[in-house]
PDB file of all heavy atoms in Angstrom:
ATOM      1  N   SER H 137      -9.344  52.539  -9.265  1.00 85.00           N
ATOM      2  CA  SER H 137      -9.863  53.287  -8.123  1.00 85.00           C
ATOM      3  C   SER H 137      -9.069  54.580  -7.973  1.00 85.00           C
ATOM      4  O   SER H 137      -8.577  55.133  -8.951  1.00 85.00           O
ATOM      5  CB  SER H 137      -9.849  52.441  -6.844  1.00 85.00           C
ATOM      6  OG  SER H 137     -10.580  53.085  -5.829  1.00 85.00           O
ATOM      7  N   LEU H 138      -8.948  55.087  -6.744  1.00 86.00           N
ATOM      8  CA  LEU H 138      -8.130  56.257  -6.440  1.00 86.00           C
ATOM      9  C   LEU H 138      -6.959  55.819  -5.576  1.00 86.00           C
ATOM     10  O   LEU H 138      -6.941  54.704  -5.040  1.00 86.00           O
ATOM     11  CB  LEU H 138      -8.971  57.320  -5.729  1.00 86.00           C
ATOM     12  CG  LEU H 138     -10.108  57.922  -6.562  1.00 86.00           C
ATOM     13  CD1 LEU H 138     -10.952  58.855  -5.710  1.00 86.00           C
ATOM     14  CD2 LEU H 138      -9.571  58.637  -7.793  1.00 86.00           C
ATOM     15  N   LEU H 139      -5.968  56.700  -5.425  1.00 88.00           N
ATOM     16  CA  LEU H 139      -4.722  56.295  -4.766  1.00 88.00           C
ATOM     17  C   LEU H 139      -4.962  55.744  -3.363  1.00 88.00           C
ATOM     18  O   LEU H 139      -4.330  54.770  -2.962  1.00 88.00           O
ATOM     19  CB  LEU H 139      -3.757  57.487  -4.714  1.00 88.00           C
ATOM     20  CG  LEU H 139      -2.350  57.183  -4.198  1.00 88.00           C
ATOM     21  CD1 LEU H 139      -1.668  56.145  -5.069  1.00 88.00           C
ATOM     22  CD2 LEU H 139      -1.536  58.473  -4.143  1.00 88.00           C
ATOM     23  N   ALA H 140      -5.900  56.328  -2.627  1.00 87.00           N
ATOM     24  CA  ALA H 140      -6.135  55.893  -1.246  1.00 87.00           C
ATOM     25  C   ALA H 140      -6.696  54.478  -1.175  1.00 87.00           C
ATOM     26  O   ALA H 140      -6.549  53.792  -0.161  1.00 87.00           O
ATOM     27  CB  ALA H 140      -7.080  56.863  -0.544  1.00 87.00           C
ATOM     28  N   THR H 141      -7.356  54.027  -2.253  1.00 87.00           N
ATOM     29  CA  THR H 141      -7.972  52.692  -2.264  1.00 87.00           C
ATOM     30  C   THR H 141      -7.547  51.911  -3.502  1.00 87.00           C
ATOM     31  O   THR H 141      -8.291  51.071  -3.988  1.00 87.00           O
ATOM     32  CB  THR H 141      -9.504  52.818  -2.230  1.00 87.00           C
ATOM     33  OG1 THR H 141      -9.935  53.648  -3.326  1.00 87.00           O
ATOM     34  CG2 THR H 141      -9.982  53.414  -0.924  1.00 87.00           C
ATOM     35  N   ILE H 142      -6.357  52.179  -4.001  1.00 88.00           N
ATOM     36  CA  ILE H 142      -5.888  51.597  -5.258  1.00 88.00           C
ATOM     37  C   ILE H 142      -5.955  50.066  -5.211  1.00 88.00           C
ATOM     38  O   ILE H 142      -5.703  49.441  -4.189  1.00 88.00           O
ATOM     39  CB  ILE H 142      -4.459  52.079  -5.562  1.00 88.00           C
ATOM     40  CG1 ILE H 142      -4.036  51.677  -6.979  1.00 88.00           C
ATOM     41  CG2 ILE H 142      -3.473  51.582  -4.533  1.00 88.00           C
ATOM     42  CD1 ILE H 142      -2.734  52.327  -7.414  1.00 88.00           C
ATOM     43  N   THR H 143      -6.335  49.487  -6.339  1.00 87.00           N
ATOM     44  CA  THR H 143      -6.499  48.037  -6.448  1.00 87.00           C
ATOM     45  C   THR H 143      -5.817  47.551  -7.714  1.00 87.00           C
ATOM     46  O   THR H 143      -5.902  48.201  -8.759  1.00 87.00           O
ATOM     47  CB  THR H 143      -7.996  47.676  -6.511  1.00 87.00           C
ATOM     48  OG1 THR H 143      -8.640  48.144  -5.333  1.00 87.00           O
ATOM     49  CG2 THR H 143      -8.186  46.170  -6.615  1.00 87.00           C
ATOM     50  N   GLY H 144      -5.152  46.414  -7.617  1.00 86.00           N
ATOM     51  CA  GLY H 144      -4.628  45.747  -8.805  1.00 86.00           C
ATOM     52  C   GLY H 144      -5.631  44.696  -9.251  1.00 86.00           C
ATOM     53  O   GLY H 144      -5.753  43.640  -8.636  1.00 86.00           O
ATOM     54  N   GLN H 145      -6.388  44.991 -10.281  1.00 85.00           N
ATOM     55  CA  GLN H 145      -7.447  44.104 -10.769  1.00 85.00           C
ATOM     56  C   GLN H 145      -6.920  43.291 -11.946  1.00 85.00           C
ATOM     57  O   GLN H 145      -6.438  43.853 -12.924  1.00 85.00           O
ATOM     58  CB  GLN H 145      -8.661  44.926 -11.190  1.00 85.00           C
ATOM     59  CG  GLN H 145      -9.836  44.106 -11.698  1.00 85.00           C
ATOM     60  CD  GLN H 145     -11.028  44.980 -12.038  1.00 85.00           C
ATOM     61  OE1 GLN H 145     -10.978  46.197 -11.873  1.00 85.00           O
ATOM     62  NE2 GLN H 145     -12.095  44.376 -12.511  1.00 85.00           N
ATOM     63  N   VAL H 146      -7.024  41.967 -11.854  1.00 87.00           N
ATOM     64  CA  VAL H 146      -6.493  41.089 -12.892  1.00 87.00           C
ATOM     65  C   VAL H 146      -7.636  40.511 -13.712  1.00 87.00           C
ATOM     66  O   VAL H 146      -8.576  39.930 -13.165  1.00 87.00           O
ATOM     67  CB  VAL H 146      -5.673  39.934 -12.278  1.00 87.00           C
ATOM     68  CG1 VAL H 146      -5.046  39.083 -13.377  1.00 87.00           C
ATOM     69  CG2 VAL H 146      -4.604  40.467 -11.349  1.00 87.00           C
ATOM     70  N   LEU H 147      -7.569  40.687 -15.038  1.00 85.00           N
ATOM     71  CA  LEU H 147      -8.550  40.105 -15.944  1.00 85.00           C
ATOM     72  C   LEU H 147      -7.849  39.128 -16.881  1.00 85.00           C
ATOM     73  O   LEU H 147      -6.825  39.461 -17.481  1.00 85.00           O
ATOM     74  CB  LEU H 147      -9.247  41.190 -16.774  1.00 85.00           C
ATOM     75  CG  LEU H 147     -10.061  42.231 -16.012  1.00 85.00           C
ATOM     76  CD1 LEU H 147     -10.733  43.180 -16.997  1.00 85.00           C
ATOM     77  CD2 LEU H 147     -11.102  41.581 -15.119  1.00 85.00           C
ATOM     78  N   ALA H 148      -8.401  37.913 -16.985  1.00 84.00           N
ATOM     79  CA  ALA H 148      -7.885  36.953 -17.955  1.00 84.00           C
ATOM     80  C   ALA H 148      -8.219  37.436 -19.355  1.00 84.00           C
ATOM     81  O   ALA H 148      -9.315  37.947 -19.600  1.00 84.00           O
ATOM     82  CB  ALA H 148      -8.490  35.574 -17.705  1.00 84.00           C
ATOM     83  N   ASP H 149      -7.283  37.299 -20.275  1.00 86.00           N
ATOM     84  CA  ASP H 149      -7.453  37.819 -21.625  1.00 86.00           C
ATOM     85  C   ASP H 149      -7.741  36.690 -22.610  1.00 86.00           C
ATOM     86  O   ASP H 149      -6.953  35.745 -22.726  1.00 86.00           O
ATOM     87  CB  ASP H 149      -6.197  38.571 -22.075  1.00 86.00           C
ATOM     88  CG  ASP H 149      -6.021  39.884 -21.335  1.00 86.00           C
ATOM     89  OD1 ASP H 149      -6.991  40.332 -20.699  1.00 86.00           O
ATOM     90  OD2 ASP H 149      -4.929  40.459 -21.403  1.00 86.00           O
ATOM     91  N   ASP H 150      -8.859  36.798 -23.280  1.00 83.00           N
ATOM     92  CA  ASP H 150      -9.216  35.884 -24.351  1.00 83.00           C
ATOM     93  C   ASP H 150      -9.055  36.645 -25.656  1.00 83.00           C
ATOM     94  O   ASP H 150     -10.011  37.216 -26.186  1.00 83.00           O
ATOM     95  CB  ASP H 150     -10.661  35.385 -24.185  1.00 83.00           C
ATOM     96  CG  ASP H 150     -11.111  34.499 -25.336  1.00 83.00           C
ATOM     97  OD1 ASP H 150     -10.250  34.046 -26.124  1.00 83.00           O
ATOM     98  OD2 ASP H 150     -12.328  34.266 -25.460  1.00 83.00           O
ATOM     99  N   ILE H 151      -7.821  36.691 -26.172  1.00 82.00           N
ATOM    100  CA  ILE H 151      -7.550  37.532 -27.331  1.00 82.00           C
ATOM    101  C   ILE H 151      -7.518  36.735 -28.633  1.00 82.00           C
ATOM    102  O   ILE H 151      -7.072  37.242 -29.660  1.00 82.00           O
ATOM    103  CB  ILE H 151      -6.239  38.322 -27.163  1.00 82.00           C
ATOM    104  CG1 ILE H 151      -5.037  37.379 -27.119  1.00 82.00           C
ATOM    105  CG2 ILE H 151      -6.293  39.194 -25.917  1.00 82.00           C
ATOM    106  CD1 ILE H 151      -3.718  38.111 -27.269  1.00 82.00           C
ATOM    107  N   ARG H 152      -8.019  35.501 -28.592  1.00 85.00           N
ATOM    108  CA  ARG H 152      -8.076  34.721 -29.832  1.00 85.00           C
ATOM    109  C   ARG H 152      -9.068  35.389 -30.783  1.00 85.00           C
ATOM    110  O   ARG H 152     -10.246  35.511 -30.478  1.00 85.00           O
ATOM    111  CB  ARG H 152      -8.529  33.290 -29.532  1.00 85.00           C
ATOM    112  CG  ARG H 152      -8.669  32.400 -30.752  1.00 85.00           C
ATOM    113  CD  ARG H 152      -9.146  31.022 -30.324  1.00 85.00           C
ATOM    114  NE  ARG H 152     -10.430  31.088 -29.639  1.00 85.00           N
ATOM    115  CZ  ARG H 152     -11.605  31.058 -30.248  1.00 85.00           C
ATOM    116  NH1 ARG H 152     -11.681  30.971 -31.564  1.00 85.00           N
ATOM    117  NH2 ARG H 152     -12.714  31.112 -29.544  1.00 85.00           N
TER     118      ARG H 152
END
Side-chain angles (χ1 to χ4, degrees):
S137 191
L138 295 174
L139 187 60
T141 55
I142 190 170
T143 300
Q145 181 177 359
V146 184
L147 298 183
D149 289 345
D150 176 14
I151 65 167
R152 178 181 59 87

